Amino acid sequence: SAVISQKPSRDICQRGTSLTIQCQVDSQVTMMFWYRQQPGQSLTLIATANQGSEATYESGFVIDKFPISRPNLTFSTLTVSNMSPEDSSIYLCSVEASRNKKTQYFGPGTRLLVL
Amino acid sequence: TQLLEQSPQFLSIQEGENLTVYCNSSSVFSSLQWYRQEPGEGPVLLVTVVTGGEVKKLKRLTFQFGDARKDSSLHITAAQPGDTGLYLCAGDSGGSNYKLTFGKGTLLTVNP
């Protein structure tokens, strides 16, 4: 399985500011995913990020609010822009499994609190 | 929109007890996956079930995929405090789309 790390692991931010979350994988993967997990809720897919192309956003999420970069096959960033308290959440990146593409491996998450 | 309903939402039991959690949908999935998420961590894949009627065992955990591939269950025998966590089911709708649909999860607490 892939080993995924995220930075920062947690942060407390002021409203109106932006935070960039990094996701690093120990192997090359085609597809990376960004999820949001609000308190007591399940995982909601924000966008799918393929290397060399623009991210594909799910309904309710827009590039201006959540810009994503995917510069190579092992790295991606998600920026949460112009934050409000409603953005307080856990942000998770995941990657497709290489042998069985029906499964995903997740990073440990970034816990964000917006004041 | 495909939805996965998980029940119960919360479950608190004593060590040694057995339990079953359910994952139900009106939609057919190519596969269903079960993940466990511990506090402060990301979800960790436990198992993937692909074939209708399939049963998979992982030590004290038994996973079943419904015949119609619309539902799944997770049974834990003789639960231990280390089983505590959020159990999530996720459905794959198949094709070239790798998106997963997640249920809201069952938060299990096993008390010593």
Side-chain angles (χ1 to χ4, degrees):
Chain A
S1 62
V3 177
I4 304 167
S5 60
Q6 287 186 233
K7 289 182 181 179
S9 58
R10 59 180 65 242
D11 207 342
I12 301 174
C13 301
Q14 297 297 319
R15 70 172 65 208
T17 63
S18 297
L19 176 71
T20 295
I21 302 168
Q22 300 179 5
C23 179
Q24 180 75 53
V25 190
D26 70 342
S27 57
Q28 294 184 339
V29 293
T30 302
M31 301 180 71
M32 296 179 76
F33 306 90
W34 286 98
Y35 289 85
R36 182 173 71 185
Q37 185 177 27
Q38 294 183 307
Q41 299 295 316
S42 188
L43 279 67
T44 301
L45 181 65
I46 297 171
T48 302
N50 291 345
Q51 194 269 334
S53 63
E54 288 198 5
T56 302
Y57 289 83
E58 296 301 305
S59 176
F61 298 96
V62 294
I63 188 171
D64 290 346
K65 175 67 175 178
F66 297 101
I68 289 171
S69 78
R70 183 76 202 274
N72 57 52
L73 291 172
T74 63
F75 187 77
S76 179
T77 67
L78 169 76
T79 299
V80 186
S81 304
N82 188 24
M83 289 184 286
S84 66
E86 291 71 34
D87 294 319
S88 298
S89 189
I90 299 172
Y91 291 87
L92 295 152
C93 72
S94 73
V95 303
E96 53 161 346
S98 58
R99 281 179 294 177
N100 182 348
K101 293 184 183 291
K102 295 181 183 294
T103 58
Q104 294 179 19
Y105 298 118
F106 286 84
T110 295
R111 281 141 189 83
L112 172 62
L113 177 63
V114 184
L115 302 177
Chain B
T1 302
Q2 295 178 309
L3 295 175
L4 280 170
E5 300 286 340
Q6 285 191 245
S7 61
Q9 187 176 358
F10 300 97
L11 188 56
S12 180
I13 61 172
Q14 294 300 121
E15 182 175 2
E17 293 183 0
N18 302 331
L19 67 113
T20 302
V21 298
Y22 300 92
C23 176
N24 297 300
S25 176
S26 58
S27 303
V28 176
F29 290 97
S30 294
S31 70
L32 268 176
Q33 303 161 30
W34 285 91
Y35 294 81
R36 180 172 66 209
Q37 184 178 22
E38 298 184 22
E41 301 292 330
V44 175
L45 178 69
L46 296 174
V47 78
T48 302
V49 285
V50 179
T51 305
E54 181 177 7
V55 176
K56 281 192 174 180
K57 293 194 174 185
L58 184 65
K59 297 183 180 179
R60 293 177 293 100
L61 280 60
T62 301
F63 304 86
Q64 185 164 9
F65 201 11
D67 291 341
R69 292 187 289 134
K70 292 182 179 181
D71 53 83
S72 181
S73 63
L74 159 60
H75 182 79
I76 301 179
T77 304
Q80 299 177 0
D83 296 326
T84 293
L86 178 67
Y87 288 82
L88 294 158
C89 66
D92 157 39
S93 56
S96 60
N97 187 338
Y98 295 118
K99 284 175 50 178
L100 295 178
T101 300
F102 280 86
K104 289 190 174 182
T106 294
L107 186 57
L108 171 66
T109 302
V110 183
N111 302 297

